[in-house]
Amino acid sequence: MKACLLRAPAPVETNPLEFADVPDPRPGKGEILVQVKMCGVCRTDLHVVEGELPPRKSPVIPGHQIVGVVERLGEGAKRFQPGARVGIAWLHRTDRTCEYCRAGMENLCDSPTFTGYSVDGGYAEYAVAPEDFVYPIPEKFPDDQAAPLLCAGIIGFRSLRLSGIKRGGRLAFYGFGAAAHVAVQVARYWGAEVYACTRGAKHQQLALQLGAVWAGEASAEPPAKLDAAIIFAPAGELVPAALKALKKGGVLVLGGIHMSPIPSFDYNLLYQERVIRSVANNTRQDGEDFLRVAAEIPVRTQVTVFPLREANRALNDLKSDRINGAAVLDCTR
Ligand SMILES: [Zn+2]
Ligand SMILES: [Zn+2]
């Protein structure tokens, strides 16, 4: 099959992904082989490709927002029929036995594997995954529209949950890329008022179009005090700015897997029971709940589609802020 291989992390400007022929993956016990139709491009892919996340497998095929069709079943797999449309996300497998898995916090599993990082992902024509960790894709989403739901959507949803935002509450997003452009639709559906702090007029405009009541620069102070804020941008310097915008008791959620160092700040910004918390991965329950809500709303994603062989270009465009909404690879061409 054709696939984009990362042999060693390097700046995306050097186009480190190699478009190559590799053997088709084979589904093991309880796994399914999926013909990949579309694979979303996530900021985490950038962190994998550029080495901010230390390599776990080399070479590796990145990509963890896979929409495709079941091609073949591994031994004992029976949850899906060949031809079924499914999604493969970041959480590829957990051990099911550690204290976190047993306590219903599989997102924090001690020995997980991650799609497109510790095992091969979806920048390819085929991918395999354990059937238990795969999602049925609601019918109303076309393949390209569905792809960004699988990480940007699910992680944004978990971030919203952890923010504790309620009907009538005020919420800000710092950074308005793939995750925020979905999360704003869920937050509005839940009756929250959304503020967008993000660089670039195009991102601000998209936020307003999707129902934000206000949009300004990344470090600008929203015109009202917030119940919660979510930082999706990987920029630690936004933490003090976001804390400053919170009400007493407000919650700040850090939605990314990687962030530049957080500068020191006055305790005053945190005092009055303000809370900072990170988001790590998601449970399968988050994924299922999100896809149900997304279909109910229904969420609309704005996508820019690139052919698989142009994955380097997609990553460069993401890094330099040229994607409005989400980038998606068409793995059938
Ligand atoms: Zn575990
Ligand atoms: Zn992701």
Side-chain angles (χ1 to χ4, degrees):
M1 67 170 182
K2 296 284 186 202
C4 290
L5 282 186
L6 178 72
R7 295 195 185 277
V12 289
E13 292 82 358
T14 65
N15 298 324
L17 293 179
E18 181 191 327
F19 188 63
D21 277 303
V22 300
D24 288 4
R26 297 158 65 105
K29 210 171 164 189
E31 293 183 336
I32 54 176
L33 174 70
V34 172
Q35 187 204 355
V36 183
K37 300 287 190 190
M38 295 280 171
C39 185
V41 176
C42 176
R43 186 164 287 278
T44 298
D45 301 342
L46 258 185
H47 298 318
V48 169
V49 170
E50 298 205 306
E52 278 120 353
L53 300 180
R56 294 273 188 90
K57 175 183 185 295
S58 184
V60 68
I61 301 170
H64 56 268
Q65 304 188 86
I66 300 169
V67 175
V69 170
V70 177
E71 171 95 4
R72 196 149 55 82
L73 307 177
E75 187 194 331
K78 52 182 183 305
R79 186 173 164 213
F80 298 98
Q81 291 301 311
R85 195 166 71 130
V86 294
I88 304 174
W90 172 247
L91 189 67
H92 175 262
R93 191 194 297 269
T94 61
D95 60 12
R96 302 169 191 245
T97 54
C98 74
E99 62 172 305
Y100 300 100
C101 284
R102 281 183 285 125
M105 298 185 286
E106 64 181 358
N107 61 305
L108 302 179
C109 178
D110 279 334
S111 35
T113 51
F114 296 117
T115 314
Y117 181 39
S118 46
V119 298
D120 285 334
Y123 288 15
E125 290 180 306
Y126 292 92
V128 293
E131 63 172 0
D132 292 347
F133 285 81
V134 163
Y135 301 92
I137 301 288
E139 261 175 38
K140 64 176 57 162
F141 300 111
D143 294 339
D144 58 341
Q145 296 265 309
L149 300 178
L150 287 161
C151 181
I154 296 174
I155 295 297
F157 184 73
R158 184 170 176 87
S159 304
L160 283 175
R161 280 188 158 165
L162 295 185
S163 79
I165 194 68
K166 295 190 178 71
R167 181 164 292 280
R170 292 197 174 105
L171 169 73
F173 296 125
Y174 287 78
F176 204 87
H181 103 290
V182 175
V184 63
Q185 299 176 57
V186 178
R188 296 267 300 120
Y189 184 66
W190 287 351
E193 197 170 279
V194 176
Y195 296 74
C197 305
T198 186
R199 61 184 184 190
K202 276 209 302 208
H203 297 319
Q204 292 168 13
Q205 215 171 11
L206 181 61
L208 293 171
Q209 260 170 36
L210 291 172
V213 293
W214 177 90
E217 276 304 312
S219 54
E221 204 172 329
K225 285 289 182 195
L226 307 168
D227 298 284
I230 302 173
I231 300 183
F232 288 117
E237 69 268 19
L238 293 175
V239 169
L243 280 173
K244 205 171 156 201
L246 288 182
K247 285 207 283 215
K248 291 185 252 188
V251 177
L252 172 59
V253 176
L254 311 182
I257 193 169
H258 168 81
M259 186 176 243
S260 59
I262 300 172
S264 69
F265 51 83
D266 278 348
Y267 179 55
N268 272 343
L269 290 183
L270 185 61
Y271 185 58
Q272 303 290 7
E273 304 197 342
R274 294 180 181 90
V275 173
I276 305 179
R277 65 181 305 174
S278 64
V279 174
N281 317 312
N282 63 276
T283 64
R284 282 171 282 176
Q285 191 68 53
D286 291 323
E288 285 157 18
D289 293 348
F290 166 67
L291 289 171
R292 192 171 49 245
V293 172
E296 208 173 280
I297 294 176
V299 163
R300 302 237 180 276
T301 54
Q302 177 162 330
V303 297
T304 306
V305 179
F306 299 76
L308 173 61
R309 66 176 69 234
E310 290 181 21
N312 283 309
R313 188 162 67 86
L315 286 169
N316 275 287
D317 282 3
L318 176 62
K319 185 177 181 181
S320 51
D321 255 347
R322 287 194 295 265
I323 304 287
N324 218 15
V328 172
L329 300 178
D330 181 342
C331 299
T332 64
R333 70 188 175 104

